Each structure stands twice: as structure tokens, then as C-alpha cells.
Amino acid sequence: PGLEKPPQEEFGLGPAYDSVLGEDAGHGGVLDHREYVIFDGSQALPRYLIWYRHADLCECFRCRSAAECRLTLPPLLFGQPV
């Protein structure tokens, strides 16, 4: 199931939840970081704006996937001579 709309109650009377939490590996889940999904934007209260950059040896899912892709594609696709 997608997260475009909230899951419905068992008898279809309305949404079962107004938000969901995806757990990170440190809390028994499979994600790199906790993910909070709120289905109605008017229920969100942003408190911080965070800017970050991945470290050179970052091991998160996104960086691992990108590294694996670089290993499987020919070097010329990345502008490097063979």
C-alpha cells in the first residue's frame, strides 16, 4: 500500500490513523532514519529547517545504492577515462 492517503478502518468508516511512523533499524525497523508521515498538511507544525550533507564514507541506504550503481556502470558514464 502507498502512503498517499491514510489507511482505512476495518469497516471503511474513515481513516484508521492521521499519521504513521516508519521505524529505523535502531528501533526494530528497516529504515536508516525514522520517517513521520502526516496525511493532512494542516496538522503539521514544522519547527526546524535542517541542512545536511552526506559524509564521504556515509553508509546510509541512498549512498550505498549510489556506490553500487557506480560499481556496475561503465566509468565513461561518470566522465572518467577508462
Side-chain angles (χ1 to χ4, degrees):
L3 292 178
E4 296 82 25
K5 59 184 181 178
Q8 295 296 305
E9 286 185 350
E10 184 177 345
F11 300 107
L13 300 174
Y17 313 102
D18 55 7
S19 62
V20 294
L21 169 66
E23 286 289 12
D24 62 354
H27 293 93
V30 297
L31 303 172
D32 287 324
H33 306 281
R34 282 184 164 176
E35 294 182 8
Y36 298 87
V37 178
I38 301 169
F39 298 103
D40 180 357
S42 67
Q43 293 179 323
L45 177 62
R47 299 199 47 195
Y48 301 98
L49 178 60
I50 299 172
W51 294 89
Y52 73 95
R53 185 179 338 177
H54 291 264
D56 290 337
L57 299 175
C58 181
E59 299 263 337
C60 77
F61 176 79
R62 182 177 178 185
C63 290
R64 284 193 317 263
S65 295
E68 290 171 9
C69 182
R70 283 192 298 271
L71 292 175
T72 59
L73 293 176
L76 288 177
L77 295 177
F78 291 96
Q80 300 173 357
V82 177

